[in-house]
Amino acid sequence: MVPDPRIIIVGAGIAGLSLAIMLERAKMYRYLILEKSPKVRPQGSAIVLNAIVLRCFEQMGFLHEVMAVSKPTYGNTFLDEDLNLIGQLSSAYFGQRYGYSNVVLSRPDFHEILHRHVPAHKILYSKKVLSLDQTGDFTGPQIQCSDNSVYTCDIVVGADGAYSGVRQSLYRSIQPIPKRVLAKLESQGLTSKSRWSSNTARASIPKSDQESLRVDQHAVIGITEPLDPDKYQILKEGSSMVTTIINKKGFTAWLLPIAKNRMCWGLASKGFGTPSEQGQELPANFRVSEWGPETVNEILKLDHIKTQKLPFGGTMQDLFDKTKQGSAGRIMLEDKAFKTWYHKRTVLIGDACHKTIPFSGMGTLHAILDCILLVNALYDMPDEEDFSSEDITRAFKMYYAQRFESASAAVKASAQISQFLGGTGVWGHWLRSTTLSNIPESVVILTSDRVLAYRPLLNFLPSVPDHGTKKSLPQRPSRRDREAVKRTREEERQRRKEEKEAGRRQCKKNKLSVDPPAKDGVEPKGDSQNQVDPILKADPSSAPGATVLPSRSRSRKRIRSRLSSVSSALYAASSLSLDGIICLPRPFPPCSYMTAVRSEIGKTHSRVGCEDRQDHQTSRSLESLHHSREALPSVVEELELPCGCDAGQELVHEDGSGCSFGSALKVQGGDGGMHPFGRDSRSRGLERLWTVGAERGWTF
């Protein structure tokens, strides 16, 4: 089960299409894309993609399509107008350090890949948004288009670029209502005071958000038709490198070979100084669409531009001639970081909320990052249609908290790079030549580590490995992941509790105990003939074969308890005339001996102490004792004590050490009893036990 909101995406650019693909992967199918153009006509030159987004493309399953139309790029070379080397920045280490090398491809090719992964019926063309109404808290926001069509949804996503109409409508809707207007509406009964109280209490948008975008430079960009590789040998190479030519006459040119033997090119300047623009300033409400093809052709005909030499032969004019007529475009390199990204059920992504300078390569990357984290936040909402306005606002806040600082830093960095490369005058040239030729590689790596530190994935898809040696920062787990971890911990806690209870029950069941000896004239409780000794039942070592001694690390308390049971059993047997077999270890090692046998006839319990000279805790209780006051055919006592003789069965301690077990001795009852130990006995302890037994009247 997943959330199922109705989503309207305004704009079918890279940000809008990327968001649609991620919604498809999340199975949130109730979305539409409204595109104002009658047909998608992607403009632009080259796009450089790095590990920030390539890992997510692999997760979504179309990384191979991107690689098929791209080339790996390994850095940037800076030249002056005479093609002298100013400096060079390498990114060849990106593949090993971050898992993916930088790749370059044309913007139209990338747009086509994204377009293929979005169902055709999900994109509606010629839908220019005129207004956005969010006053209906229960019906959701309404969008009115230029063809008088109206769309009602749960969430509106503004992905319509730097001059976003959604952003403008959003900002108008959150302006506080003047008191006189509010009083008039209330007097006419058109609204209630409670409905507008929250709007009047809310602060207005920041003043900086109401200002226009900062224009940094003007640019002309284009892509050539396939070129002759024999003429341009650089096209035969399997990789690519950005070549930036900084001309002292006030413009910068960049060249970038891409797949299919094509060349992406671009020109940037504070002002190209064309005859039609000299002495004129652009109006405040100027739009890029007002620049027609004639303005582009006028720039390309400037002598100092078309005669600029290329490092691989020819001039810029050769590239202009190989560019399809009308395909080159003129744009403004603008930047601005907005502070207001969402309100109620409307949210902004991409250039609509953070416009970076395109030739810094950050615009596309951060737009796709917006999509990843926004979809992750929406996926955390309650399932199906159980979400509320508060859930949507919570998702927007989570998205904003993860993206605002990073996007604002990218806008600032793009402005600094543009100023560094586009600065004119003696100071600008000296700064570039000094910095680019002397910058340490460690500084470059440190900077790239900060830029590529966070490479998030979609929470709802299977993860892909982080191939680089420099791992990404940890990603915030999704709501479902947190719930799954909580359930797993609870199940583990319950399992441990059950195992603990089962262990307690087993210990109680296997508790070592021996019935006390029967008093004169009183039979022991229970059927002594059918009772099974709990020690024998609990200890599998009583079976034939190797006998396992307790570990020498066992507590003395446990040993003394078992010896107490042994002494009780010996006392019970002392009042009987026995004729049977007693199995005792023979002989005892010199290191162990019986220190004392303290017992008195008539007492219920006697104690036998065992001590090891080497401080080893080495004794075990009597394994079995079947006795009857009236008739007992035989008594088998197996007193397991450490022994060192070479005769008998192998005896193995739990800690792995081994020794020999003495053979059983035939003990005759009556007056004709024989000494069971023989003259070869080396154990004074057994002799002492024999002596004490004889004093007590035991018959062996």
Side-chain angles (χ1 to χ4, degrees):
M1 305 296 289
V2 298
D4 194 20
R6 299 168 298 168
I7 301 176
I8 295 293
I9 304 172
V10 181
I14 289 178
L17 294 177
S18 298
L19 181 63
I21 295 173
M22 295 175 191
L23 292 175
E24 285 282 336
R25 299 296 193 271
K27 298 182 180 180
M28 301 166 66
Y29 299 122
R30 294 202 300 170
Y31 70 89
L32 284 176
I33 301 177
L34 304 182
E35 171 57 39
K36 65 180 180 181
S37 303
K39 183 181 179 181
V40 176
R41 293 175 297 177
Q43 294 182 346
S45 183
I47 293 178
V48 177
L49 303 176
N50 59 27
I52 293 178
V53 297
L54 292 179
R55 188 180 175 207
C56 185
F57 290 170
E58 181 180 0
Q59 186 187 30
M60 290 191 290
F62 59 85
L63 177 62
H64 63 284
E65 299 181 40
V66 175
M67 293 299 185
V69 295
S70 63
K71 272 188 174 184
T73 177
Y74 296 131
N76 199 325
T77 301
F78 300 91
L79 308 174
D80 62 14
E81 67 274 13
D82 297 325
L83 305 183
N84 297 317
L85 180 65
I86 299 176
Q88 195 171 29
L89 298 177
S90 174
S91 61
Y93 60 90
F94 272 39
Q96 180 179 2
R97 191 169 183 82
Y98 309 114
Y100 305 87
S101 298
N102 290 357
V103 296
V104 58
L105 69 163
S106 71
R107 188 184 184 93
D109 288 345
F110 184 55
H111 193 277
E112 183 180 353
I113 292 174
L114 299 178
H115 193 273
R116 286 200 302 264
H117 287 268
V118 179
H121 67 278
K122 296 286 189 177
I123 306 176
L124 305 181
Y125 297 98
S126 300
K127 296 289 183 178
K128 183 179 180 179
V129 175
L130 297 181
S131 64
L132 170 65
D133 182 12
Q134 295 195 94
T135 57
D137 293 334
F138 299 100
T139 59
Q142 289 186 343
I143 291 178
Q144 184 177 2
C145 299
S146 57
D147 59 354
N148 295 325
S149 58
V150 178
Y151 297 90
T152 302
C153 58
D154 298 314
I155 297 173
V156 176
V157 180
D160 47 347
Y163 302 103
S164 171
V166 174
R167 184 185 68 238
Q168 296 172 15
S169 299
L170 179 69
Y171 285 4
R172 286 195 299 266
S173 68
I174 63 179
Q175 292 291 347
I177 301 175
K179 293 183 179 180
R180 57 183 180 83
V181 176
L182 180 61
K184 184 177 180 180
L185 292 173
E186 291 175 354
S187 64
Q188 296 176 357
L190 299 178
T191 185
S192 63
K193 184 176 181 180
S194 60
R195 178 178 178 180
W196 295 101
S197 60
S198 60
N199 289 336
T200 55
R202 184 176 53 251
S204 61
I205 61 175
K207 184 178 179 180
S208 60
D209 286 353
Q210 304 178 37
E211 299 174 353
S212 301
L213 279 71
R214 186 187 72 89
V215 179
D216 185 80
Q217 298 183 68
H218 298 177
V220 178
I221 53 179
I223 304 175
T224 68
E225 297 290 332
L227 303 176
D228 184 5
D230 294 331
K231 182 177 180 180
Y232 300 99
Q233 296 291 327
I234 193 173
L235 298 174
K236 294 183 178 181
E237 298 180 4
S239 60
S240 179
M241 181 169 284
V242 182
T243 301
T244 303
I245 302 175
I246 304 174
N247 195 298
K248 292 182 180 180
K249 294 181 180 180
F251 77 93
T252 302
W254 67 89
L255 311 167
L256 191 54
I258 61 174
K260 301 178 182 178
N261 296 328
R262 294 172 297 170
M263 184 77 67
C264 292
W265 57 268
L267 305 169
S269 176
K270 295 289 185 181
F272 288 104
T274 58
S276 61
E277 296 179 1
Q278 289 181 354
Q280 297 183 7
E281 292 185 1
L282 296 176
N285 59 349
F286 180 81
R287 294 291 180 267
V288 177
S289 58
E290 299 180 28
W291 275 327
E294 62 279 0
T295 62
V296 175
N297 294 331
E298 191 175 6
I299 293 174
L300 300 184
K301 291 179 181 179
L302 295 175
D303 290 338
H304 64 283
I305 291 179
K306 67 180 182 181
T307 58
Q308 173 62 55
K309 295 181 179 180
L310 303 179
F312 39 78
T315 62
M316 291 294 299
Q317 184 62 52
D318 297 332
L319 300 182
F320 299 157
D321 294 339
K322 291 293 184 178
T323 302
K324 185 178 179 180
Q325 187 67 26
S327 64
R330 183 176 181 181
I331 61 174
M332 287 193 295
L333 304 184
E334 304 165 297
D335 62 356
K336 184 175 179 60
F338 294 90
K339 297 181 180 179
T340 306
W341 287 23
Y342 67 91
H343 175 60
K344 288 190 174 181
R345 297 193 173 200
T346 302
V347 66
L348 306 175
I349 62 174
D351 288 350
C353 54
H354 50 78
K355 178 68 174 70
T356 61
I357 296 176
F359 95 36
S360 66
M362 287 292 177
T364 299
L365 298 175
H366 282 268
I368 297 174
L369 270 180
D370 290 346
C371 298
I372 295 173
L373 297 177
L374 177 59
V375 174
N376 283 344
L378 295 177
Y379 193 77
D380 268 359
M381 295 194 308
D383 295 339
E384 295 187 340
E385 298 183 17
D386 295 336
F387 55 86
S388 62
S389 297
E390 289 75 16
D391 295 322
I392 295 175
T393 302
R394 190 179 301 109
F396 290 168
K397 286 182 178 179
M398 185 185 305
Y399 154 69
Y400 180 81
Q402 296 180 83
R403 289 293 302 128
F404 176 72
E405 291 186 3
S406 176
S408 300
V411 172
K412 184 177 180 180
S414 69
Q416 293 173 345
I417 294 174
S418 177
Q419 184 178 4
F420 175 76
L421 297 179
T424 58
V426 178
W427 169 252
H429 292 293
W430 177 85
L431 181 63
R432 283 190 295 270
S433 60
T434 303
T435 304
L436 294 175
S437 59
N438 298 299
I439 184 171
E441 184 179 2
S442 59
V443 175
V444 178
I445 295 177
L446 179 62
T447 303
S448 61
D449 283 349
R450 295 182 61 184
V451 173
L452 282 77
Y454 189 45
R455 306 185 289 276
L457 296 175
L458 297 171
N459 287 333
F460 45 84
L461 293 181
S463 180
V464 294
D466 192 347
H467 305 290
T469 57
K470 185 71 174 180
K471 304 302 181 183
S472 172
L473 293 177
Q475 188 170 345
R476 184 181 187 274
S478 67
R479 173 179 61 88
R480 288 168 175 78
D481 291 337
R482 296 193 299 271
E483 291 176 353
V485 170
K486 185 177 180 180
R487 287 194 302 268
T488 302
R489 289 177 177 174
E490 187 63 29
E491 292 172 358
E492 180 67 17
R493 191 179 297 111
Q494 185 66 23
R495 184 185 65 81
R496 290 181 179 178
K497 183 178 180 181
E498 293 175 355
E499 289 180 353
K500 189 175 182 180
E501 291 296 330
R504 288 177 178 175
R505 291 193 298 269
Q506 187 68 18
C507 288
K508 187 178 295 185
K509 182 179 179 181
N510 297 338
K511 187 176 181 181
L512 303 177
S513 63
V514 177
D515 291 338
K519 297 182 179 179
D520 295 338
V522 179
E523 294 292 336
K525 295 181 180 180
D527 186 1
S528 61
Q529 296 291 344
N530 298 328
Q531 284 184 348
V532 180
D533 193 290
I535 302 176
L536 182 62
K537 181 178 179 181
D539 193 354
S541 63
S542 59
T547 304
V548 180
L549 285 179
S551 173
R552 293 180 178 178
S553 62
R554 297 287 178 85
S555 64
R556 292 180 178 272
K557 182 177 179 180
R558 185 175 180 183
I559 296 172
R560 290 168 181 169
S561 175
R562 293 188 175 186
L563 288 173
S564 176
S565 300
V566 174
S567 62
S568 299
L570 291 175
Y571 172 75
S574 64
S575 60
L576 303 176
S577 177
L578 305 179
D579 185 6
I581 299 177
I582 298 178
C583 295
L584 292 174
R586 182 178 71 102
F588 276 72
C591 64
S592 298
Y593 62 97
M594 300 293 293
T595 59
V597 178
R598 300 186 299 271
S599 64
E600 297 180 7
I601 299 176
K603 290 185 178 181
T604 304
H605 297 283
S606 299
R607 295 181 180 177
V608 178
C610 179
E611 182 178 331
D612 190 342
R613 289 179 181 176
Q614 298 179 357
D615 198 23
H616 293 159
Q617 301 173 2
T618 53
S619 69
R620 291 189 68 174
S621 65
L622 179 67
E623 293 296 344
S624 63
L625 177 62
H626 301 276
H627 58 83
S628 174
R629 187 174 182 83
E630 298 178 354
L632 183 61
S634 63
V635 174
V636 178
E637 294 178 310
E638 187 177 352
L639 182 62
E640 298 181 4
L641 296 174
C643 50
C645 68
D646 55 356
Q649 171 185 3
E650 183 181 5
L651 188 66
V652 182
H653 289 280
E654 286 180 1
D655 59 3
S657 60
C659 57
S660 299
F661 190 82
S663 58
L665 299 176
K666 179 69 176 177
V667 183
Q668 302 292 338
D671 296 335
M674 58 180 292
H675 198 289
F677 304 106
R679 296 182 178 180
D680 59 344
S681 173
R682 296 172 303 203
S683 174
R684 293 175 296 173
L686 285 178
E687 294 176 353
R688 176 63 177 164
L689 180 60
W690 177 269
T691 304
V692 172
E695 293 175 355
R696 294 289 186 265
W698 298 346
T699 303
F700 296 93

